[in-house]
Amino acid sequence: MKEYADMSSQEFREYGYKMVDWIASYLENIEEFPALAQINPGEVKNKFPLTPPQNPQPFEELFGEIDKKVMPGMTHWNHPGFMAYFNSSSAGPGILAEFLSAAFNINGMLWKSSPASTELEEVTMNWFRQMVGLPEDFWGIIYDGASASTMHGIIAAREQANKFNLRQKGLGGWNNSPRFKIYASEFAHNSVDKAVITLGFGLESLTKIGMDEQFRMNVEELKKCIAKDKAEGKIPMCIVATIGTTSVTSIDPIEEIAEICKKENIWLHIDAAHGGNSAVVPEKRHLTNGWEMADSIVINPQKWMFMPIDISIFLTRKRDVLRRGISLSAEYLKTDQDEEVKNQMDYSLQLGRKFRSLKVWFTIHYYGVEGIQNIIRNHFKLAEEFKNILLSNKSFELVAPLTFSTICFRAKPEGIEEKYLNEFNKKLMDAVNETGKIFVSHTVAAGKFTIRVVISGLRTNSNTIKTATDLFNKKLNELLRDKK
Ligand SMILES: Cc1ncc(COP(=O)(O)O)c(C=O)c1O
């Protein structure tokens, strides 16, 4: 038996070059694959043996296996026609950075355990902050997703509001305790609900505030809820406002909400997971007006800045509050540098962490800020293009205003009663998705089944817009014809 059990460097080179070739061809020819996997549950699983191979198999075989067994089960997020959810597409520099990150395989829990990772994260978070135009007192850290970022925002909010030694005693530590309150709009992402459940506050602590006709949080209702809760002895602790709701990319009235937070001493966390990326484009900064007043903000470059999943950036101007709320050490983690460095473990639930800042560095280095601005700027233009072509057919209508680059619409053809429109639009969406040429998803807004077309994929271009609008018109006509 070999003592050194890894692949030989000769093998690594051979397969590594081959893998890079495979990836390059895949990305080059991605449009040959359907955007949405055309497959039934279980079909991937059934291609694999029930038990693992007992003996080494030729590595070479894996290339064929990926083609045969994995590819048919892939929904291709990098496909230009992938316009569902919030698209996350990856660019070459980030893919290569992931490769390097896996090779280094560091654990950045402490400065000492990986000085380069800790310090490069600090550098790139400072770059990113500047790129989106936030003030110098915002400090950033990378988490694995916006759900984790929002949870850390609420942890810090809890620490700020904490009058009961909560960290020590927990929520059950005193009798008849006032209930902490968290507020978010009805369209806030359900990661807020999850954080509230996970942190033990319970869903009754979360008040979902109604929205105006443009799906923005109703500030008057928010004020009333806060006043009522205070009168009942509850403690308003955190408001989560959204810049770019998942459903329709609406923007809560940030400036007014920030004023309330200031007056009431409530933590303001802003979920700008998708929308926040657009602040890199100077002429779009008005969309994020007021966010500089937040206590914490989450922005996911994996959603609109072409960095491979997973990367979520959490920015806060109250780093010390977060640290107080979550840091914990142990003898084996103590180092001589603890007084002079920032150990990432002190600011996150996660202890071990990978070298994620490499992909931030590589991406910014490769494109430059201007390159990134131009790609995102083009998405805004493509979204306008999509909207104009779509609405030239009077059978379509917008359900929500176009704010970023997500078009929320439905078909409302003459002759179909309102009560049948939801079912009709679901059929339209399914028919379009079944072609495999594009993949779109939906929401329900004001009771209306709404099709969302998200234009934030790196490879989405004018041809994709034409394909998509042609498809919607064609499938609409087919459905109407079938109805006759
Ligand atoms: C506005 C918003 N916030 C949070 C999330 C959760 O993101 P993640 O999957 O990174 O946890 C999403 C997901 O789409 C989102 O749209």
Side-chain angles (χ1 to χ4, degrees), residues 69-141:
K69 299 181 176 172
V70 175
M71 292 305 271
M74 290 291 292
T75 288
H76 295 278
W77 286 67
N78 271 321
H79 194 292
F82 188 107
M83 297 160 152
Y85 313 121
F86 277 139
N87 166 300
S88 49
S89 54
S90 55
I95 300 172
L96 293 173
E98 284 283 13
F99 198 14
L100 185 59
S101 166
F104 284 145
N105 196 35
I106 58 90
N107 178 337
M109 57 190 181
L110 301 164
W111 176 86
K112 185 179 180 178
S113 67
S114 183
S117 160
T118 304
E119 293 190 15
L120 187 60
E121 187 156 325
E122 208 172 308
V123 170
T124 53
M125 290 306 92
N126 186 31
W127 287 358
F128 189 83
R129 174 195 62 74
Q130 295 171 53
M131 284 166 64
V132 295
L134 281 166
E136 247 175 75
D137 57 345
F138 275 91
W139 166 90
I141 184 166

Side-chain angles (χ1 to χ4, degrees), residues 6-23 57-64 66 99:
D6 194 10
M7 247 176 197
S8 69
S9 38
Q10 191 192 339
E11 277 181 307
F12 188 81
R13 279 202 178 84
E14 186 187 336
Y15 301 133
Y17 293 145
K18 240 186 166 155
M19 183 58 86
V20 169
D21 270 344
W22 190 98
I23 295 171
Q57 310 290 306
F59 195 84
E60 190 82 36
E61 277 179 9
L62 283 179
F63 292 97
I66 294 171
F99 198 14

Side-chain angles (χ1 to χ4, degrees), residues 11-70:
E11 277 181 307
F12 188 81
R13 279 202 178 84
E14 186 187 336
Y15 301 133
Y17 293 145
K18 240 186 166 155
M19 183 58 86
V20 169
D21 270 344
W22 190 98
I23 295 171
S25 306
Y26 165 64
L27 292 176
E28 205 175 357
N29 301 307
I30 193 155
E31 285 189 78
E32 290 176 10
F33 301 99
L36 171 66
Q38 309 287 311
I39 194 167
N40 293 313
E43 279 185 44
V44 174
K45 215 164 50 176
N46 292 339
K47 289 186 188 150
F48 286 87
L50 280 176
T51 53
Q54 292 299 312
N55 297 307
Q57 310 290 306
F59 195 84
E60 190 82 36
E61 277 179 9
L62 283 179
F63 292 97
E65 298 269 291
I66 294 171
D67 289 331
K68 259 200 338 254
K69 299 181 176 172
V70 175

Side-chain angles (χ1 to χ4, degrees), residues 248 399 408-410 441-445 448-452:
V248 295
V399 176
C408 300
F409 66 96
R410 67 173 183 167
S441 57
H442 77 282
T443 187
V444 173
K448 299 171 187 166
F449 186 96
T450 303
I451 301 173
R452 300 163 69 259

Side-chain angles (χ1 to χ4, degrees), residues 234-249:
K234 295 173 184 161
I235 301 179
M237 181 189 98
C238 182
I239 299 176
V240 180
T242 311
I243 295 182
T245 57
T246 317
S247 278
V248 295
T249 65

Side-chain angles (χ1 to χ4, degrees), residues 238-378:
C238 182
I239 299 176
V240 180
T242 311
I243 295 182
T245 57
T246 317
S247 278
V248 295
T249 65
S250 50
I251 304 168
D252 287 333
I254 301 297
E255 284 166 327
E256 290 169 71
I257 296 172
E259 284 305 325
I260 297 171
C261 287
K262 197 164 143 204
K263 182 165 159 256
E264 303 282 353
N265 194 26
I266 299 174
W267 186 279
L268 174 57
H269 175 72
I270 294 186
D271 180 351
H274 182 258
N277 291 283
S278 70
V280 78
V281 179
E283 68 271 22
K284 295 294 175 190
R285 290 235 171 110
H286 61 279
L287 296 171
T288 52
N289 270 355
W291 71 343
E292 67 284 352
M293 292 187 265
D295 295 294
S296 57
I297 301 174
V298 51
I299 308 169
N300 273 22
Q302 74 192 25
K303 289 197 193 296
W304 199 359
M305 216 180 269
F306 348 113
M307 298 181 202
I309 203 165
D310 53 3
I311 173 146
S312 176
I313 293 180
F314 176 82
L315 294 141
T316 179
R317 55 183 1 141
K318 295 183 177 166
R319 189 179 76 213
D320 292 343
V321 179
L322 174 65
R323 188 176 197 276
R324 262 198 338 258
I326 197 156
S327 66
L328 203 60
S329 196
E331 187 53 43
Y332 82 102
L333 295 168
K334 293 195 173 125
T335 73
D336 294 343
Q337 297 84 17
D338 286 351
E339 294 302 312
E340 56 181 309
V341 298
K342 275 182 224 77
N343 293 317
Q344 303 290 63
M345 68 164 190
D346 286 335
Y347 303 90
S348 73
L349 184 66
Q350 197 180 0
L351 175 62
R353 49 175 41 239
K354 70 183 214 180
F355 203 160
R356 292 197 188 96
S357 57
L358 275 176
K359 56 189 163 192
V360 186
W361 176 34
F362 276 34
T363 306
I364 299 173
H365 186 91
Y366 179 80
Y367 287 107
V369 177
E370 284 185 11
I372 295 173
Q373 286 169 342
N374 287 336
I375 297 170
I376 295 181
R377 192 174 273 133
N378 191 43

